[in-house]
Amino acid sequence: MIQILENERTFHLQTTASSLILHVMESGHPVCLYWGGKVDGDSFSYIVKEIKKASYLSGTDGNQAFRLEQYPLLYPAYGNPDMRTPAFLFRYEDGSRITDLRFQGYEVFHGSRKLDGYPTCMDKEAEGIVVKLSDRAGQAEVWLTYTVFQDYDAVTQSAKVFNPAKTSMVVEKLMSGCISFLDDRYDCLTLTGAWGRERHVNREAIRQGLFVLDSKRGASGHGSNPFVALVEPGADEDNGNVYAMNLVYSGSFEADIEVDMHQNTRMMMGINSFDFAWKLDGGACFQSPELVLVHSSEGLGGMSRSFHRFYRECLMPKRFAHSCRPVLINNWEATYFSFDRKTILALADEAVRLGVELFVLDDGWFGHRDREDSSLGDWTAYEAKLGGTLESLAEEIHARGLQFGLWFEPEMVSPDSHLYRSHPDWIIRVPGHEPQSGRNQYVLDLGRKEVQDYIIDSLDRVLGSAGITYVKWDMNRNITDIGSAVLPADRQKEVLHRYMLGLYRILEEITGRYPDVLFEGCAGGGGRFDPGMLCYFSQIWTSDDTDAMERLEIQRGTSMAYPGIAMGCHVSACPNHQMGRVTSLHTRGVVAMGGNLGYELNLLELGETEKQEIREQIAFYKHIRDTVQNGILYRLKSDGQEYAWMYLAEDGSQAVVSHVRVLARGNTVPKRLKLAGLSRDSWYEVTVAGEKVGNSDKSRILSGSSLCSIGLPLSVPEGDFFAEQWIVEKLHK
Ligand code: GLA
């Protein structure tokens, strides 16, 4: 709901549990009055106060007592007496960088508005407001759009700049949104890491100065995620205020958190302004991507549950947002590039016997690709290797009762390819410099329409031919040598953003043509796990690191913002190919059941006992799949040594509880694990996973209150990497 108050100068944006209050000061500068738990009231401007004695601050508009730097400005500018980090920066033809934005008016709308060219959160029940600002010298106009998704406790924000003049101007920075707080006692929570250890939770107290979290890689990246939260120091999983931002964008981004000398905090996020500039001809406009704001007064758990529900309902492809995902086998770690038709079919035969539903043929099926140094861009089947056409292989897979899926890396080209030989100028590079290759490949210039069309046509040809119901869309290198053969000198800083817009056009087109194909995003593992991708890819490969212990922190961090149904999680071989670590098949299964379960190991090398265990794992997963994929997540423990999480079905009928202890410790006594979210007045049958539900020797009837207050008794670990799992079924008493 949006309330317009105080002579149309105060806008109260309300979700079910939160309030965001914007106010326009007499000077026409908009401020962020409040963001937090829901409040009631019809006047709020009384809290805008000046500190008359603050020294060394300049006055504004000739008024020495009006010091802009004291205020929680909503969309702060550069070049006025507010000397903090600005949310935007424009350069005009005369070399000036001063823009003086003041309130011009507002417009309220119903439903959500699709942002042109961008993935956007959509809901017809949403309500929005556009706050219109214009420069006093008439050089630019900026519209800030806020959309309120009341039932999901989320608000989105974006900015659009217009050039009303006849001459051109340059947008050097345009953050999607900015929020100001009159306090500095927060921890900053980010999801950082590297390849193989993506999205580890990092929490540190903020202090005076500027903290920047960013990516300059042309992708959101393995090292940083476009997510940042300010957390009250005492807040934990269940309690306390959390203020989170997540950018719906998959390219280079920037988050700035600044604590000023008056203990105020400013937090903003948007396209990375580093090496970015967008030329706006007279009359043109530029739109920022969308930023999601979630406030929770129920700690990190409450924040995550809001994000999960919001993304499932308002961002992910509708067709797959709630549909259970098939259990898959992927041949990558089973065979890498060395396979033939016989091996693939033998793997498929074994997979069917174990209960697998989808066969994914990973890299190496096209061109003449036997290693990573050829054929990207030539999306035609390698028939000599496949022992026939792709269609005939797909038919044989289908005949076994399996769906068939295929790997692509459409944004890339190998120097050894027909595509590169025909169009060497299609890559991102700078003339006069030998382009850098990464994994022996170049990046295509997706800003070019003919390149976009080539990718769309190539995929269309394959997808239209072989009964493919799943695509793994990979992207295995970051973008260097930023330059485009078709842009003039003064537009070269637009290349990375044009790339993203091109990618979104391709994805919009191809996922639109194949709405029933399940797309899984991937970028050398989890190098592009962000809301922008989630709008097209219903699941994303969480990390190339499939070691169960490594996955505990990766999946926990990912779950901060992204729902379980979006996480690809595989059981792989031991010793693990990335870590060399040995964990039991049971533990690997428990951890991979934290998201969408798949298998990525050579089933043909397994003994009967292991195959039987996998058969039982898959059968069990099918029983709990709906709860894991569509349920509500409670993180019960995560301290680096112990991880426990629980998925509760939306109707409360079933819960799946998992607990993993990393290293065993000497002389430990039995502990308990308290559950969450259950109805305290109801009764539940609790069964240890692997035992038959309803087997009275192995299951116990317990009340919701005892499960939440006393907890489940944990076993004393029988060695390192010890995992337990329970299924909790509600009884209708
Ligand atoms: C990337 C992916 C892997 C696999 C390989 C294939 O590394 O993350 O899962 O698909 O590419 O080359």
Side-chain angles (χ1 to χ4, degrees), residues 332 337 362-363 369 407 439 472 474 476 522 524-525 541 544:
W332 178 242
F337 290 107
D362 209 279
D363 200 347
R369 187 148 162 112
W407 179 97
R439 211 194 189 207
K472 179 173 173 185
D474 211 338
N476 273 312
C522 177
W541 182 222
D544 274 343

Side-chain angles (χ1 to χ4, degrees), residues 88-99 101 135 138-142 160-174 277-286 490-491 494:
F88 68 96
L89 188 60
F90 307 148
R91 183 161 43 83
Y92 301 99
E93 277 227 322
D94 62 0
S96 145
R97 283 100 54 226
I98 292 182
T99 307
L101 292 181
D135 172 48
Q139 298 190 103
E141 278 181 32
V142 172
K160 186 175 191 172
V161 48
F162 299 83
N163 177 6
K166 289 212 163 48
T167 51
S168 65
M169 61 182 269
V170 178
V171 180
E172 296 191 334
K173 180 174 186 179
L174 187 78
W278 192 276
K279 187 175 168 199
L280 269 193
D281 290 330
C285 58
F286 180 80
D490 59 356
R491 289 195 179 273
E494 297 176 10

Side-chain angles (χ1 to χ4, degrees), residues 321-449:
H322 294 283
S323 69
C324 277
R325 308 297 162 74
V327 176
L328 64 81
I329 173 91
N330 178 305
N331 74 308
W332 178 242
E333 286 197 8
T335 65
Y336 294 102
F337 290 107
S338 316
F339 59 83
D340 56 16
R341 193 183 195 91
K342 208 166 134 236
T343 325
I344 293 301
L345 292 178
L347 261 176
D349 283 333
E350 202 55 69
V352 174
R353 284 196 280 271
L354 302 183
V356 167
E357 297 157 317
L358 162 69
F359 188 95
V360 180
L361 183 57
D362 209 279
D363 200 347
W365 62 267
F366 52 93
H368 59 276
R369 187 148 162 112
D370 289 315
R371 294 193 313 254
E372 53 180 50
D373 61 358
S374 87
S375 306
L376 293 173
D378 298 343
W379 300 108
T380 47
Y382 186 174
E383 294 187 359
K385 184 171 180 178
L386 297 184
T389 61
L390 189 64
E391 290 83 341
S392 67
L393 178 63
E395 270 169 31
E396 290 206 55
I397 300 275
H398 291 149
R400 286 161 168 78
L402 288 169
Q403 297 177 46
F404 184 51
L406 216 49
W407 179 97
F408 291 88
E409 197 180 353
E411 299 159 63
M412 300 291 154
V413 63
S414 307
D416 176 13
S417 65
H418 294 302
L419 179 64
Y420 185 67
R421 281 186 285 273
S422 335
H423 298 286
D425 66 319
W426 276 16
I427 65 167
I428 292 187
R429 63 168 297 186
V430 177
H433 293 265
E434 189 56 35
Q436 306 283 335
S437 69
R439 211 194 189 207
N440 300 297
Q441 61 202 48
Y442 298 136
V443 185
L444 289 168
D445 184 359
L446 263 53
R448 294 172 66 165
K449 172 101 178 9

